[in-house]
Amino acid sequence: MLHGKGEIQEPERTSVNGMKLGVLCSGGKDSLFACYLAMQKEEVACLISVRSRNEESYMFHIPNVHLVPLQAEAAGLPLVTVETEGIEEAELSDLSRAICLAVERHGIEGVVTGALLSVYQAARIQRICRDLDLWCFNPLWYTDQEAYMELLIETGFRAVVTGVFSAPFDATWLGRMIDREALKDLKQYARKHRITLTGEGGEYETLVLDAPFYTKRIVIEESTEEYFNYRGILRVRRASLETK
Amino acid sequence: MILLLDLSYRAHSLSRDEFVGPVARIVGRAGWEWRETHFSEIRSDDLKDVTGIILCGTALKDNLFAARAQEFSWLRNISVPVLGICAGMQVLCLVFGGTIRPGCEIGMTTVRADTPDPVLPGSPAFPAYELHSFTCDPPRGWEVMAVSDSGVQAVRHPDRPLYGVMFHPEVRNEGVVERFLSLCKEKDR
């Protein structure tokens, strides 16, 4: 085939089960649902997580990213983690470093993201993958948001809201499960307040406690809430795994 | 019936939802019936009731379609409108005697529409999303409708309704797909 260097060759396959992929994981519903989709088509070899110290990071979701190791354990997947100061653009080199580590440790041939609509995020990750000669997959890209949310619930994902950053979300949303009732409210908010149904505009953030590919589910044992003027965070202080 | 052709590395791949799905939603929302087929599986029967064809894009690293361009030779005899998106434009170029060469663009860029066409946005310059590792040198006689600083962005056949766009209209330029559909016969609607 033709690739970035202009050579012609057939696609490479180094694993028996399919292409080995690393999933960029923030701990939220989009990255883990993208992981679920990738598992049905290729081989997910690891999760990749970037922990940012900057709460205003453009690229990386913040609330409760420290629970990604527990999610990886629940899913039985290895995890590659790096830390970043979260300075715009400089954090991209940290992401690149994380992906390089995943290549070295797990032989990944490509990266999966949960990007939905953000050209800003998607283009930057595409460039990193091009520079590293890796495939890049965005299975939720410009998906039908309502159908996606319905499928998320239908397939057994249990995602709770861990951050709200926009009107009209009140404090009761912190810790609320994304179920059919919540989706009904979100649809109403999307109509009346022009939020994106999936929270892609940064209106809310989630944490996935259970997924179809988890062998154990996460239980939040202790958490604290901060909320003021339509901005709030549920910080999980202690969590554990329980048998499903 | 609009046929969406999946050009990715294999049928039902992980790329399908990224490159065929968004186009399918635009076509469906515009009120058209559609079906999709992978390029390796297309048969002559698949084309019988088709009133328009859209060749969808692929992942940046996925250029298998170019190595297998001979499998698209049926496009030379097609009479219905065709829109090639990114990889699809590259296929049209290759099938009709043009060439492709390395030329990567990722992200938003400004496209200048030098030759007005009903399929393109009406403004002389518009922002568009790019994701390609090769650029096209169009076939002889084809009209170049739009360019960016990096290369040709939109082409059309001189006599037939065959269009190619290098940018991805499914991202922030859905109107390009909708206006293309208006060229297709009305019988399906």
Side-chain angles (χ1 to χ4, degrees):
Chain A
M1 89 181 168
L2 291 166
H3 64 61
K5 296 190 177 80
E7 299 156 354
I8 298 176
Q9 58 187 50
E10 286 297 312
E12 295 164 13
R13 285 291 179 275
T14 56
S15 57
V16 176
N17 297 326
M19 203 182 299
K20 290 181 105 173
L21 301 174
V23 178
L24 297 186
C25 185
S26 64
K29 61 181 172 46
D30 303 335
S31 51
L32 284 156
F33 198 78
C35 178
Y36 172 64
L37 293 175
M39 284 172 160
Q40 293 166 48
K41 306 283 186 179
E42 304 289 352
E43 179 187 345
V44 173
C46 64
L47 300 180
I48 302 168
S49 169
V50 178
R51 292 175 67 161
S52 177
R53 296 188 192 98
N54 176 5
E55 296 227 343
E56 301 301 323
S57 166
Y58 283 84
M59 285 291 292
F60 306 113
H61 165 139
I62 301 298
N64 301 302
V65 71
H66 62 282
L67 292 176
V68 173
L70 203 58
Q71 292 176 316
E73 190 182 341
L77 288 168
L79 172 66
V80 175
T81 306
V82 300
E83 293 218 339
T84 179
E85 292 297 330
I87 300 161
E88 191 176 5
E89 300 303 335
E91 63 188 355
L92 294 175
S93 61
D94 295 316
L95 174 60
S96 181
R97 183 162 51 90
I99 294 171
C100 283
L101 279 175
V103 171
E104 285 169 25
R105 292 179 190 169
H106 304 291
I108 64 165
E109 302 156 79
V111 165
V112 180
T113 87
L116 282 153
L117 294 166
S118 171
V119 165
Y120 178 91
Q121 286 188 343
R124 279 157 179 75
I125 294 167
Q126 290 278 4
R127 288 191 191 106
I128 289 171
C129 289
R130 175 201 57 191
D131 293 345
L132 299 175
D133 196 25
L134 294 172
W135 291 71
C136 184
F137 295 102
N138 303 282
L140 292 173
W141 189 238
Y142 275 67
T143 195
D144 179 312
Q145 297 201 21
E146 196 168 322
Y148 159 50
M149 293 295 282
E150 297 277 1
L151 194 58
L152 182 83
I153 296 165
E154 192 180 303
T155 49
F157 275 77
R158 290 174 59 80
V160 292
V161 175
T162 51
V164 294
F165 307 99
S166 147
F169 290 99
D170 62 26
T172 66
W173 278 91
L174 295 175
R176 184 172 177 184
M177 188 69 63
I178 302 288
D179 55 15
R180 297 208 180 278
E181 199 58 34
L183 181 55
K184 196 172 138 192
D185 290 344
L186 289 170
K187 285 180 188 173
Q188 191 185 29
Y189 290 2
R191 278 192 303 272
K192 284 190 175 176
H193 300 273
R194 301 175 65 89
I195 67 156
T196 53
L197 190 63
T198 52
E200 175 76 349
E203 299 93 339
Y204 68 94
E205 298 285 359
T206 61
L207 174 73
V208 174
L209 301 181
D210 198 6
F213 56 88
Y214 280 15
T215 53
K216 294 178 178 176
R217 67 170 68 90
I218 294 171
V219 180
I220 297 174
E221 295 177 340
E222 186 185 333
S223 63
T224 55
E225 293 180 9
E226 300 158 24
Y227 181 89
F228 178 71
N229 197 25
Y230 303 116
R231 291 180 68 85
I233 290 179
L234 177 88
R235 294 191 193 278
V236 177
R237 303 294 181 188
R238 197 154 50 86
S240 61
L241 294 178
E242 73 173 20
T243 306
K244 288 172 75 172
Chain B
M1 176 66 68
I2 303 298
L3 177 68
L4 305 179
L5 207 61
D6 180 357
L7 269 58
S8 57
Y9 59 101
R10 70 158 187 258
H12 316 294
S13 77
L14 188 54
S15 285
R16 183 269 163 206
D17 289 345
E18 185 174 348
F19 295 100
V20 182
V23 178
R25 274 183 287 285
I26 298 169
V27 173
R29 274 202 301 267
W32 290 83
E33 288 184 24
W34 58 271
R35 68 166 179 270
E36 63 181 86
T37 306
H38 189 262
F39 78 89
S40 65
E41 296 175 343
I42 195 157
R43 304 288 176 266
S44 54
D45 280 357
D46 294 328
L47 302 171
K48 279 182 180 166
D49 60 344
V50 163
T51 52
I53 299 170
I54 301 177
L55 314 177
C56 299
T58 65
L60 193 65
K61 197 170 151 60
D62 182 359
N63 294 291
L64 178 66
F65 65 87
R68 291 168 59 173
Q70 73 282 357
E71 293 180 36
F72 297 89
S73 58
W74 53 270
L75 281 166
R76 291 193 195 109
N77 304 314
I78 210 79
S79 58
V80 298
V82 177
L83 173 65
I85 296 172
C86 192
M89 172 165 154
Q90 295 174 54
V91 162
L92 285 171
C93 280
L94 291 168
V95 166
F96 286 89
T99 56
I100 62 172
R101 57 188 161 79
C104 186
E105 279 182 290
I106 299 171
M108 299 304 293
T109 194
T110 300
V111 172
R112 299 186 301 279
D114 295 335
T115 305
D117 186 279
V119 169
L120 294 180
S123 52
F126 58 92
Y129 183 67
E130 308 282 347
L131 187 66
H132 58 89
S133 50
F134 283 78
T135 189
C136 288
D137 294 318
R140 184 177 303 196
W142 282 54
E143 291 179 78
V144 174
M145 301 187 297
V147 297
S148 69
D149 288 344
S150 299
V152 175
Q153 287 293 330
V155 292
R156 70 182 175 205
H157 189 281
D159 309 313
R160 293 160 54 188
L162 308 179
Y163 288 84
V165 290
M166 189 55 83
F167 61 89
H168 284 261
E170 69 274 24
V171 179
R172 302 188 184 183
N173 277 297
E174 298 184 357
V176 170
V177 177
E178 291 162 358
R179 288 186 290 273
F180 166 77
L181 292 170
S182 71
L183 302 177
C184 303
K185 285 182 184 172
E186 293 287 324
K187 66 182 180 184
D188 276 356
R189 304 199 75 185

